[in-house]
Amino acid sequence: MQNKSIWGIISISSIPLVMTLGNSMLIPVLPTIEKELGISSVQASLLITVYSIVAIIFIPLAGYLSDHIGRKQVIIPSLILAGLGGALAGFAAWKFDSAYSWILIGRLLQGIGAAGAAPIAFPLVGDIFTSEKEVSSGLGLVETSNTFGKVISPILGALLASFVWFLPFFSFPVFCFISIVMLLLLVHVPKQKDKPLAFKPFVKSIKKTFKREGKWLFVVFFVGGLCMYLIFGLLFYLSTSLEKDYGIHDLKKGFVLAFPLAALCFASYVTGKLIGQDKLLMKWYTVGGLALVTGSTLWIAFSDNIYVLLAALFLAGLGIGAALPSLDAFVTEGIEQKQRGSITSLYSSMRFVGVAMGPPIFAALLEVNHFLLFSLHALLSCIALVLTFLLLKPEKSVKGSWS
């Protein structure tokens, strides 16, 4: 990878990093926000949920636009909108007496901005590289940046809130500005060779793509969504347990939450480096990762010991970290450039569905039974493993074609 390309990838990697910080930084701060605004825990959780739900709705539109007017032309305005949303939320928290509704509007704007920023990073990597090996390595770095954001988010959020509780809102526009400058100066996108299709022919081509590639796309979409669902569900469970059962709060809790995410970050980086253009290897990394998630989740079902919980979540982080870069490479390298933005955006929508569903479902099942909560998710992970094993069938060749 050339020096210019390395700086380009670092710049692109800043996008999911910023978007992750914009959402995950608030997780350790939610109890404080609840107290400061005098709202319920459900209302506080909506500050996370509204971000994800709005992103799910707007991601396919952003993907379609990126295929037609260009990736940077969608990403940069989206980052500006996301930064304005963070500024509005921070200003409302600082100055307004009845701030909750305005903060919610700010979070909504952030979600729309996130829809046009982070998901477009994946096809942008596919556009600027010609070699599949470079694409896989680049995607591994982008996924690592995403997971690194999750590692530092609880620590950074808790640290900023220790000065002023609404400071995490104000930090977000600063991060967006840095990312915008890097994209403008360091990312050079080659012109698209094929003229993009008009809307009706475009929809027909998408339908044809799903008809032709439907089996493996279904698996990649399902497993990608499941991985994000498990990350946020397990983090919610760990955060709740640390406060209620062990009395661990604030910055100390942030460091403990970062422990399993550090494993995820490390595994994403290593996997992106190792898989290259070998799609068979991508399949086996995904299968192995899901096997690790299944085993570790089942382990938690039989014990509520804090050390077992942390060890199992560390292993689950390694498993998810091995699966995600492989799935990203499958969906980016397996789709033609003129449809890449739209298909990868639909894939990103599924990931956001997982983010939105994880905490509330884990919260509901936690009220029922500890064993049921984790045995059900172990079964779900096992089903994903079987589907990956049976329906992802890349041939072992240099190009990694599909059978």
Side-chain angles (χ1 to χ4, degrees):
M1 211 181 270
Q2 297 178 348
N3 201 36
K4 188 186 290 186
S5 299
I6 291 171
W7 280 109
I9 278 293
I10 291 172
S11 303
I12 295 170
S13 297
S14 72
I15 302 168
L17 173 61
V18 167
M19 292 301 114
T20 299
L21 289 174
N23 204 24
S24 301
M25 264 198 310
L26 295 184
I27 291 176
V29 190
L30 286 179
T32 305
I33 293 174
E34 188 179 328
K35 291 174 187 175
E36 292 289 341
L37 297 180
I39 58 177
S40 68
S41 57
V42 173
Q43 286 176 304
S45 69
L46 283 178
L47 297 178
I48 300 294
T49 304
V50 72
Y51 180 97
S52 301
I53 289 176
V54 170
I56 292 164
I57 295 169
F58 281 90
I59 282 172
L61 175 62
Y64 173 78
L65 288 174
S66 78
D67 281 335
H68 283 69
I69 65 174
R71 313 292 186 210
K72 286 171 71 174
Q73 286 83 344
V74 173
I75 291 172
I76 290 172
S78 297
L79 284 170
I80 293 171
L81 183 62
L84 289 173
L88 173 60
F91 186 80
W94 179 30
K95 289 292 186 181
F96 294 178
D97 291 331
S98 301
Y100 177 71
S101 296
W102 286 102
I103 294 173
L104 211 57
I105 292 170
R107 291 292 293 163
L108 187 144
L109 292 177
Q110 282 185 270
I112 296 172
I120 312 303
F122 294 121
L124 183 54
V125 173
D127 291 348
I128 65 174
F129 292 117
T130 54
S131 161
E132 286 189 357
K133 185 175 182 180
E134 287 183 319
V135 172
S136 297
S137 180
L139 289 170
L141 286 172
V142 170
E143 192 63 66
T144 300
S145 175
N146 185 18
T147 53
F148 178 68
K150 291 181 178 63
V151 174
I152 64 172
S153 286
I155 300 169
L156 185 59
L159 179 63
L160 291 172
S162 68
F163 295 103
V164 182
W165 70 270
F166 50 78
L167 195 56
F169 292 123
F170 277 122
S171 69
F172 189 63
V174 177
F175 299 142
C176 287
F177 176 76
I178 294 169
S179 186
I180 289 167
V181 172
M182 292 177 72
L183 284 167
L184 287 172
L185 297 179
L186 300 171
V187 177
H188 307 283
V189 185
K191 289 185 177 180
Q192 191 169 318
K193 295 177 182 178
D194 299 323
K195 187 178 179 181
L197 297 170
F199 185 72
K200 284 188 177 179
F202 170 79
V203 171
K204 285 184 179 178
S205 71
I206 292 292
K207 286 181 179 177
K208 282 183 181 179
T209 299
F210 273 95
K211 191 173 182 180
R212 184 178 66 248
E213 314 285 0
K215 284 185 179 180
W216 71 266
L217 275 177
F218 164 76
V219 174
V220 170
F221 278 37
F222 172 69
V223 178
L226 176 65
C227 285
M228 298 308 294
Y229 164 81
L230 289 172
I231 290 170
F232 277 80
L234 291 168
L235 279 178
F236 173 83
Y237 173 81
L238 179 59
S239 179
T240 303
S241 297
L242 290 174
E243 288 215 12
K244 290 186 177 180
D245 300 332
Y246 300 98
I248 298 174
H249 305 277
D250 303 324
L251 194 58
K252 188 176 180 182
K253 185 176 82 169
F255 276 103
V256 178
L257 287 171
F259 177 69
L261 290 168
L264 194 148
C265 183
F266 172 76
S268 292
Y269 177 77
V270 173
T271 301
K273 287 287 186 185
L274 294 178
I275 56 177
Q277 61 194 85
D278 190 338
K279 289 185 171 61
L280 189 62
L281 196 58
M282 295 173 199
K283 170 181 176 173
W284 289 117
Y285 267 86
T286 306
V287 169
L290 289 171
L292 206 52
V293 173
T294 302
S296 57
T297 310
L298 192 60
W299 187 18
I300 301 172
F302 290 97
S303 174
D304 56 1
N305 181 279
I306 184 64
Y307 297 108
V308 169
L309 177 62
L310 289 175
L313 290 182
F314 184 86
L315 293 175
L318 289 176
I320 293 171
L324 282 176
S326 304
L327 297 167
D328 298 342
F330 270 133
V331 79
T332 302
E333 296 173 24
I335 301 298
E336 295 177 3
Q337 186 183 18
K338 59 185 178 182
Q339 297 172 343
R340 189 177 288 151
S342 299
I343 298 296
T344 55
S345 292
L346 291 172
Y347 166 66
S348 294
S349 286
M350 283 302 300
R351 288 174 53 137
F352 269 91
V353 168
V355 172
M357 290 174 62
I361 292 178
F362 266 72
L365 288 174
L366 184 58
E367 295 295 323
V368 180
N369 184 273
H370 174 90
F371 177 80
L372 179 67
L373 168 63
F374 287 100
S375 58
L376 279 177
H377 286 98
L379 177 62
L380 193 60
S381 302
C382 187
I383 291 169
L385 187 159
V386 172
L387 288 174
T388 302
F389 180 78
L390 294 178
L391 298 181
L392 282 186
K393 298 179 179 179
E395 295 173 349
K396 190 175 183 181
S397 64
V398 176
K399 293 183 179 179
S401 58
W402 294 92
S403 59

